[in-house]
């Protein structure tokens, strides 16, 4: 599902503040695998997720995601690829406070000519366990509820790949455990999932397929 070969990401190349964020990364992630990406702050986790989702272009190397070679996708194609293939859950939720839960979840569906919008939202909102708040405004929700809306929005388009960047960083333990439980359910639907986190609640989960350690931009053997 995700094939990465000899990936380098260098920020500010050939400038005084040049920084090698990813160094010769090669990983294959199979369909329906759930991967936990671990590593200390600054090790390159967010950069790697950003490259996989085609927000960030690699400096060199090959990245193939969901049968798309995204290493050199022009921006317009990258956004089409993202909308179709990737669901992204951010630490800061990135929701629109002035819209309702329902309308936030609808956003990814407004980009293409979507059909059956009502049903898609219903399914996602249910999977993310937030149906009871569908008419509420985001600003009236708790942190845990906001994160569940963010999950619903990430899965509403039925993407094959779900990427989560520190998804529990703003949640208390109880809500983090609920998040982990939703991940477990999502894995059962066949999704390929990568979660970047340093939350120890993700350690030793029996439904995780692999833990990958990243240190100073390199995969630890
Ligand atoms: N846009 C950017 N321009 C320049 N350097 C960057 C940029 N984004 C990240 N970096 C640098 O790349 C390195 C990896 O950053 P990244 O955000 O991927 O780490 P991380 O593992 O996600 O850290 P954290 O756990 O704090 O989120 C860091 O040294 C960071 O300062
Ligand atoms: Mg990060």
């Amino acid at each position: 599902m995700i094939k990465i070969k000899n990936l380098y990401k260098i920020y500010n190349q050939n400038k005084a503040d040049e920084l090698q964020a990813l160094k010769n990364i090669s990983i294959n992630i199979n369909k329906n695998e759930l991967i936990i990406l671990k590593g200390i702050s600054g090790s390159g986790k967010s950069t790697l997720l950003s490259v996989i989702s085609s927000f960030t272009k690699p400096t060199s190397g090959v990245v193939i995601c969901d049968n798309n070679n995204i290493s050199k996708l022009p921006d317009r194609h990258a956004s089409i690829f993202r909308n179709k293939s990737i669901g992204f859950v951010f630490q800061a939720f990135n929701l629109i406070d002035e819209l309702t839960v329902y309308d936030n979840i609808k956003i990814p569906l407004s980009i293409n000519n979507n059909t059956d919008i009502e049903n898609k939202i219903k399914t996602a909102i249910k999977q993310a366990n937030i149906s009871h708040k569908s008419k509420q405004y985001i600003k009236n929700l708790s942190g845990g509820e906001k994160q569940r809306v963010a999950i619903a929005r990430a899965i509403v388009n039925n993407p094959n790949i779900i990427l989560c960047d520190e998804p529990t960083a703003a949640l208390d333990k109880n809500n983090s455990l609920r998040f982990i439980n939703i991940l477990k359910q999502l894995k059962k639907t066949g999704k390929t999932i990568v979660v970047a986190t340093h939350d120890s609640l993700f350690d030793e989960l029996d439904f995780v397929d692999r833990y990958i350690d990243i240190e100073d931009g390199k995969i630890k053997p």
Side-chain angles (χ1 to χ4, degrees), residues 38-96:
K38 299 179 57 161
I40 61 166
S41 178
S43 56
K45 304 181 295 297
S46 295
T47 303
L48 183 57
L49 292 187
S50 185
V51 169
I52 293 173
S53 63
S54 79
F55 277 117
T56 298
K57 295 234 178 343
T59 305
S60 63
V62 177
V63 181
I64 296 172
C65 272
D66 205 12
N67 298 318
N68 294 271
N69 185 341
I70 58 163
S71 325
K72 290 179 183 144
L73 270 189
D75 289 344
R76 195 171 60 83
H77 294 266
S79 65
I80 293 169
F81 156 77
R82 254 196 314 275
N83 188 251
K84 181 178 163 289
S85 298
I86 304 278
F88 211 115
V89 177
F90 303 87
Q91 163 179 345
F93 318 137
N94 293 13
L95 301 165
I96 300 177

